[in-house]
Each structure stands twice: as structure tokens, then as C-alpha cells.
Amino acid sequence: MAAPMKRTLVALHRATCSSLKNAEASLDLRHAVPLYVPVRTKKRYFVPPAVGTKGKHQQENMEAKARAAGIVFRQEYLERPINIACTAGIFDPYVPPEGDARLSTLSKEGLKQRTEQLRQSAASQLAIRKVKEHDSQFTTKTFAEQAQEIFIEAHSALAQFNKEKLHALVTERCYPEMTRGNRYKTISWRFVESLEPPKVVHARCPDMVSKGNLYGQVTVRMHSKQILAMYDRFGRLLLGSEEQPKDVLEYLVVERHLVNPYGRWRLHGKIVPSWAPAKDPIIKTVMIPGPELTPGQEFDTLNYEVPKPKPVQWNK
């Protein structure tokens, strides 16, 4: 009796197994844990990372770790920051009359220039009124001397290359223009005297970014005598002279942020008229390689002649 029962149980087990296999095949079911590991069939070769993606993956991982830790990264803006402590240029610049400091007011041309200046002074008077509303101590009589003092202190700080003092005396627009190209150079500058008293010739009161954000720009005419000499890093003279002063006619633009209660008048730029004579060229210094000397040998005993450069044809 036991043997037929055993056979029946084995047949029932086989039938159930075959039915389960047919069900898995029909439903396309798979086991959660495979019974074999595909080790030999897996291709093992090195795939180099793409160009420029090495730092990106690290950055993404760092951001994901920071978010998981509860740290919020600061958002990066692509906009360019602007500085509102000063304007980006000179608004409605003053046009100096041709022949200024050479023509007499009694001559015919001088009288024409005088009448033209009186016509253009209406806008300057309106701007001066706006400036006086924000700066009660502003007067055209005393401001010209104040602007001349700012000019002298700024150029003295430039010769000594005092950055802190120079930033307090010139605007952010004027600073790179004054310091560009002065590296490895020595500047000797001195103010000698005023040939004519400085005077205010032009004034404008523009606004920037928003209406009511006012800036005061005052143009001061200054005719003086100055001494300028520039040396390179080896002490060779590049420009000017320390013994011979020169007469200089300049039109200085001094600016102030009127809305800012802590604002101050600073040098903003210069106006160079189109009829002004050309500046003196800077003498370029170069190094000419000489012969190699042995220990104990002097250069004067060689009678060495400096070779002249060969003429080369070129076009611009």
C-alpha cells in the first residue's frame, strides 16, 4: 500500500512542477535571484571618460552629497555686476574752443568764442542748481580750486603708487586709465605753478539706472606749469624731463554721486580737444646682446662694435 501511495505523490509533484514551468513560460516570469552569475560572458575593457566631463561628475556628486546633508548651494548668476558709485563715461562732454589760451578775448575770434560759451551756459546753470540742492557748500568760485587740489593729490599718489589714496581721489572709471602701463616704471611728477586761475566751464547733472539717481559732473579748465619724467625699470629716461617744466592746458571732469550722503568729489576723466598738439612719443628701450666675457676680461679692451640692424621691408 505504501509503494502505490509514493508513486502517486511523485506523479503529483511532477505534474505540479510542469504546470508551474508552463505558467512561468506563458507569463515570462523570472526569479528575483538568478541561479548563476554571468562572469565569463561579461566584456571587460577600459572605456576612457569623455573630454571635459571629469570635473562635472565630481561637481554633481558634491552637490548631491551637499543636498543630502542639508546644505544649500548659493545660486550662481550669469549677469555682469555693475558699479553705481560712478558713471560709465562723460555725459555731454565740453567742447573746448579752438585756440584756447592763445586767443585774446579782445580779438574777433575770441569774442565769437565768448558769445558761444554764454549760449551754452544755460544747461550748465540748471545743472549747477541741481548740484546745489544736494551739496549746499558747492560754489563755482571755490570749487575750481578744490578740483585743482584733487588733481594735484591724485597725481602725487600716482607717482608714489599709493593705491588706497588714489582710490579715494579718482573714480572707478578713471583708476585703470591712470594706472595702465605704469608697471615696472618710475614716475616723477611735480606741480610748479598756475599760469591762470582754474575756473568752472561746464556742468551736467545726469541720472543713471533709475530716475532720480543723480550724478554731478563739473568740467574745470586748468592752465598750469608741470614737470613730468618717466623712467623704465633700469633707470633709463622714457619721457619728459625733471629740469624742464612744460605749460599744460587741461580740462578736468570731476564727478560726485549726489544721492549718496557720503559721496565725495573725485577725478573722473579728462577732455582732450581735437585741435590739441600730439603728445611726445615714449622712447622705447631695448637690450642689445653683447659678447660673452671670460672671467677677468673687460668689455672696453675688446673694441666691440654694436651691429646695425638689417633693413627689412614691411607693410601695415
Side-chain angles (χ1 to χ4, degrees):
M1 188 70 184
M5 182 67 71
K6 191 175 182 180
R7 291 172 188 167
T8 307
L9 290 173
V10 171
L12 183 62
H13 177 69
R14 289 178 180 176
T16 52
C17 289
S18 61
S19 63
L20 286 173
K21 287 181 180 180
N22 295 332
E24 287 180 2
S26 61
L27 297 175
D28 195 16
L29 298 175
R30 298 183 183 275
H31 292 284
V33 180
L35 301 177
Y36 60 92
V37 180
V39 176
R40 296 186 179 182
T41 57
K42 185 178 179 180
K43 294 183 179 179
R44 296 177 175 274
Y45 52 86
F46 174 72
V47 179
V51 178
T53 59
K54 185 176 181 181
K56 292 182 180 178
H57 294 300
Q58 294 179 358
Q59 187 176 3
E60 291 176 0
N61 295 336
M62 288 176 62
E63 290 181 0
K65 290 179 181 178
R67 290 196 190 96
I71 302 173
V72 181
F73 272 91
R74 185 179 178 182
Q75 186 177 0
E76 296 181 0
Y77 296 96
L78 299 177
E79 292 85 0
R80 263 182 92 182
I82 63 172
N83 182 22
I84 62 172
C86 70
T87 57
I90 300 173
F91 289 86
D92 193 10
Y94 174 69
V95 181
E98 188 173 356
D100 194 6
R102 289 181 295 175
L103 295 177
S104 174
T105 55
L106 300 176
S107 62
K108 186 177 180 180
E109 290 80 5
L111 287 173
K112 286 182 179 179
Q113 292 177 4
R114 185 65 179 168
T115 54
E116 188 67 24
Q117 288 177 2
L118 291 174
R119 288 179 185 175
Q120 296 178 356
S121 63
S124 297
Q125 293 297 329
L126 294 174
I128 289 172
R129 288 181 186 176
K130 287 185 180 180
V131 172
K132 286 183 178 180
E133 291 177 1
H134 295 83
D135 188 2
S136 59
Q137 298 179 355
F138 178 85
T139 56
T140 55
K141 294 181 180 179
T142 60
F143 181 77
E145 297 178 358
Q146 181 184 352
Q148 187 175 7
E149 292 176 0
I150 294 172
F151 171 82
I152 295 172
E153 291 180 5
H155 282 74
S156 299
L158 177 65
Q160 301 169 3
F161 207 73
N162 190 349
K163 295 182 180 180
E164 291 77 12
K165 189 176 181 181
L166 193 61
H167 272 294
L169 295 169
V170 301
T171 59
E172 287 75 12
R173 172 189 176 270
C174 185
Y175 181 84
E177 293 183 359
M178 291 183 66
T179 58
R180 186 181 295 116
N182 295 340
R183 195 177 183 185
Y184 305 126
K185 292 183 179 64
T186 304
I187 301 174
S188 176
W189 182 88
R190 192 167 77 254
F191 183 85
V192 181
E193 61 178 350
S194 291
L195 301 177
E196 295 181 34
K199 62 179 180 179
V200 177
V201 295
H202 193 72
R204 289 294 181 269
C205 193
D207 51 4
M208 190 177 71
V209 179
S210 62
K211 192 173 181 180
N213 189 25
L214 296 176
Y215 296 83
Q217 290 186 353
V218 181
T219 306
V220 179
R221 177 186 180 273
M222 194 177 73
H223 192 197
S224 60
K225 189 173 287 187
Q226 305 173 16
I227 290 177
L228 173 65
M230 185 181 293
Y231 302 90
D232 64 356
R233 57 180 175 172
F234 303 109
R236 292 174 288 195
L237 185 65
L238 295 176
L239 178 69
S241 173
E242 289 193 41
E243 299 176 355
Q244 184 179 0
K246 283 194 173 184
D247 299 344
V248 183
L249 177 64
E250 293 177 311
Y251 300 91
L252 312 176
V253 180
V254 190
E255 186 185 84
R256 178 182 174 179
H257 193 194
L258 298 176
V259 183
N260 186 6
Y262 303 101
R264 57 194 305 181
W265 292 101
R266 297 185 295 174
L267 189 63
H268 188 61
K270 294 182 182 179
I271 296 175
V272 181
S274 58
W275 45 266
K279 295 181 179 180
D280 297 336
I282 296 177
I283 303 172
K284 295 183 179 180
T285 57
V286 295
M287 185 186 71
I288 300 176
E292 296 182 0
L293 301 177
T294 58
Q297 190 178 11
E298 295 184 359
F299 180 77
D300 298 334
T301 59
L302 294 177
N303 296 326
Y304 182 77
E305 295 182 0
V306 179
K308 296 182 179 179
K310 297 180 181 180
V312 179
Q313 184 177 354
W314 65 282
N315 54 0
K316 190 173 181 180

